[in-house]
Amino acid sequence: MIDQYSFAKRRNRFIDQLAGNAAIIPAAPMVTHHADCEYPFRQNSDFWYLTGFDEPDAVALFLPHRPIGEQYVLFVLPKDPALEAWIGSREGTDGVVKDFGVDIAHPLDELPKRLGDYLQGAQGIAFRIGKHPKIEQIVLTVLSEQLDTVQRSGSLPLSLVAPCPLLHNLRLYKEPLEIERMRVAARISAKAHELAREVVHPGMNERQLQGVIEEYFLAQGARGPAYGSIVAGGDNACILHYTSNNSILKDGDLVLIDAGCSLSDYYNGDITRTFPVNGCFTGEQRALYEVVLAAQKAALQSVLPGQNAEGVHAIALRTLVEGLVDLGLLYGNVDSLIEQNAYRHLYMHRTGHWLGLDVHDVGAYRLGEYPVKLEPGMILTVEPGLYISDRFAVPDGQPSIQDRWKGIGIRIEDDVLVGLNGPEVMSSDAQKSISEMES
Ligand code: GLY
Ligand code: MN
Ligand code: MN
């Protein structure tokens, strides 16, 4: 687990970089499904990153303009023994000061009356508008009151800035302890994929495999799946966000599993493996699997400092297109096919994304016209695939798809740390060679 010392260090780094702006970072609310039944709570990752506090509805203030010892203020839901008998215990104001490194704590309902005072002396407010409607109302009221009085108070009007570029840039570079947690998430996720391959057989329902995977996540102490697990037999694998997982796995089909766990401190795995349900590839399945595997390996090797996510995508894409031309699924010159997007009916997504506290993690991919360069400590997925179906029109000049290829969807996805000494494939415990997929 990330310790309180690490959270404190992050807060100090954030406060140092706020340049005199006071940041207001809200926790996630509980979300009601119906009546008094709520969805499982999921903390806002920005709030978690800075606080390590896992209760809903709190609001954190980071106040660089205040003296040391008054810079981290937390508004929390107060202790309420009768309510806690129903929903579980709360830390309350005393608990967060004692155990979470908070300088000053108040009950949440005091936020409207106290916020204005805390903002006095700040240069601006760092708050993400458009995401937290209840808190936004309070922030805008305080800002508006301040604007009403600047004429006589002599203070400058507060500006309103977004905290995201600063905070998300911090989150993009993983600390050593975060990297350790990401390794654990990847290891548990990888082992679950191995278990799924051990038990799969024709006639099983997709959701039985989902159960095997998610049971392992829970047994290892994870919160559960990091996102809706995808267990897709045959043609279902050509539906990129297939999560209904309720079909029978057929003899002769492949099954694509895209699943990863989320740890108790929200670090996530995101792994995809594809293998034959009966343990033996058909000729077409094997030929396409070899192309995707070659593309994934080439892309993985390119995850080096100085490269960028677009470059990794370009390398995977070129290998995929070359393979599709060799197999007769595309006609023409590889450069022109890429230039004209003539492969998009067979490969329609990017090759990866940042990975961390969110599965599609924060952090810029581009700054202006420049792609963000990979640096040690960044973590990304590498996940090329091929999806052969007739859902998309075949572009003019390209061959129509013979039936023998249809219903084959393949993706191979690993979680990769950009390291000083080359890429570290954190999910490498999940096998992917042809021989292992057939064992
Ligand atoms: N599981 C979501 C993704 O692979 O991006
Ligand atoms: Mn995935
Ligand atoms: Mn992914």
Side-chain angles (χ1 to χ4, degrees):
M1 287 287 279
I2 307 294
D3 53 26
Q4 277 306 318
Y5 174 71
S6 301
F7 284 111
K9 266 201 338 202
R10 286 177 192 170
R11 285 193 290 272
N12 289 339
R13 224 175 308 144
F14 182 52
I15 287 170
D16 281 349
Q17 294 182 18
L18 274 169
N21 294 314
I24 304 170
I25 310 289
M30 293 296 294
V31 180
T32 301
H33 178 263
H34 72 277
D36 59 350
C37 293
E38 287 149 336
Y39 288 102
F41 177 67
R42 171 53 156 97
Q43 189 54 283
N44 169 2
S45 296
D46 282 343
F47 180 88
W48 173 265
Y49 181 78
L50 292 167
T51 67
F53 185 56
D54 210 18
E55 291 187 20
D57 294 323
V59 179
L61 306 184
F62 301 97
L63 307 170
H65 58 288
R66 305 278 293 200
I68 302 285
E70 297 179 19
Q71 293 185 329
Y72 174 28
V73 177
L74 197 61
F75 289 81
V76 296
L77 293 169
K79 295 290 292 174
D80 180 342
L83 187 63
E84 286 172 57
W86 289 85
I87 61 164
S89 74
R90 289 174 173 170
E91 291 291 338
T93 49
D94 291 346
V96 293
V97 171
K98 183 165 160 286
D99 294 329
F100 289 84
V102 172
D103 291 332
I104 304 169
H106 300 287
L108 182 67
D109 62 2
E110 294 184 10
L111 179 67
K113 81 168 189 231
R114 290 187 182 273
L115 183 60
D117 286 345
Y118 276 120
L119 296 179
Q120 283 281 333
Q123 291 195 0
I125 303 174
F127 176 73
R128 172 65 159 90
I129 58 167
K131 293 279 187 205
H132 316 281
K134 278 193 196 155
I135 307 303
E136 182 170 317
Q137 201 51 52
I138 296 169
V139 173
L140 293 182
T141 302
V142 168
L143 181 59
S144 170
E145 283 167 6
Q146 199 253 355
L147 290 173
D148 285 342
T149 57
V150 285
Q151 195 183 8
R152 289 183 185 283
S153 70
S155 52
L156 290 172
L158 290 168
S159 56
L160 186 59
V161 299
C164 323
L166 165 56
L167 187 47
H168 293 178
N169 195 52
L170 290 175
R171 282 178 54 190
L172 180 56
Y173 297 85
K174 275 63 180 178
E175 303 154 4
L177 265 181
E178 291 188 287
I179 292 170
E180 273 311 307
R181 296 300 287 160
M182 291 294 289
R183 287 190 182 114
V184 172
R187 236 180 355 249
I188 295 171
S189 306
K191 175 77 169 131
H193 281 263
E194 290 292 288
L195 287 178
R197 204 175 72 255
E198 274 170 30
V199 302
V200 72
H201 56 80
M204 237 178 151
N205 192 292
E206 291 164 344
R207 62 184 48 193
Q208 286 175 271
L209 270 192
Q210 178 184 358
V212 169
I213 288 167
E214 295 184 5
E215 181 190 359
Y216 186 74
F217 293 165
L218 295 174
Q220 293 301 305
R223 284 175 191 258
Y227 51 90
S229 304
I230 297 170
V231 182
D235 179 65
N236 292 338
C238 298
I239 301 167
L240 295 180
H241 291 173
Y242 176 81
T243 48
S244 46
N245 301 354
N246 195 19
S247 297
I248 298 295
L249 295 167
K250 294 197 201 95
D251 202 352
D253 275 353
L254 297 178
V255 58
L256 179 155
I257 302 179
D258 183 344
C261 71
S262 189
L263 298 184
S264 53
D265 45 9
Y266 292 113
Y267 290 97
N268 297 302
D270 180 9
I271 301 177
T272 308
R273 290 293 182 266
T274 311
F275 47 86
V277 171
N278 66 7
C280 195
F281 285 104
T282 65
E284 286 78 10
Q285 291 165 352
R286 177 188 300 260
L288 287 167
Y289 190 89
E290 279 172 348
V291 171
V292 177
L293 187 58
Q296 209 244 3
K297 286 185 173 171
L300 279 176
Q301 281 169 13
S302 76
V303 175
L304 297 168
Q307 176 60 281
N308 58 68
E310 291 174 18
V312 175
H313 173 68
I315 286 166
L317 179 60
R318 171 162 290 274
T319 312
L320 291 175
V321 171
E322 285 170 356
L324 290 167
V325 170
D326 287 346
L327 294 176
L329 282 155
L330 290 177
Y331 288 162
N333 169 275
V334 169
D335 288 322
S336 319
L337 290 167
I338 291 173
E339 174 96 355
Q340 291 159 16
N341 289 331
Y343 57 85
R344 297 276 303 193
H345 58 306
L346 305 172
Y347 182 47
M348 60 297 286
H349 60 77
R350 304 291 295 181
T351 302
H353 50 83
W354 306 133
L355 180 68
L357 285 176
D358 289 315
V359 174
H360 289 187
D361 206 23
V362 294
Y365 294 93
R366 261 185 173 266
L367 291 174
E369 59 187 292
Y370 298 106
V372 169
K373 285 190 180 156
L374 300 182
E375 291 183 44
M378 293 177 171
I379 296 176
L380 67 161
T381 67
V382 175
E383 49 178 309
L386 288 173
Y387 311 91
I388 320 293
S389 78
D390 44 20
R391 289 180 179 79
F392 293 92
V394 174
D396 284 347
Q398 291 305 317
S400 58
I401 300 168
Q402 295 168 22
D403 284 346
R404 66 193 177 100
W405 297 107
K406 287 183 188 162
I408 303 178
I410 298 168
R411 179 163 63 256
I412 305 173
E413 175 175 28
D414 278 304
D415 304 340
V416 193
L417 168 69
V418 184
L420 274 174
N421 304 313
E424 177 185 324
V425 181
M426 298 187 300
S427 47
S428 62
D429 287 351
Q431 303 299 318
K432 59 189 175 190
S433 68
I434 291 259
S435 61
E436 291 286 354
M437 293 304 98
E438 291 195 320
S439 66

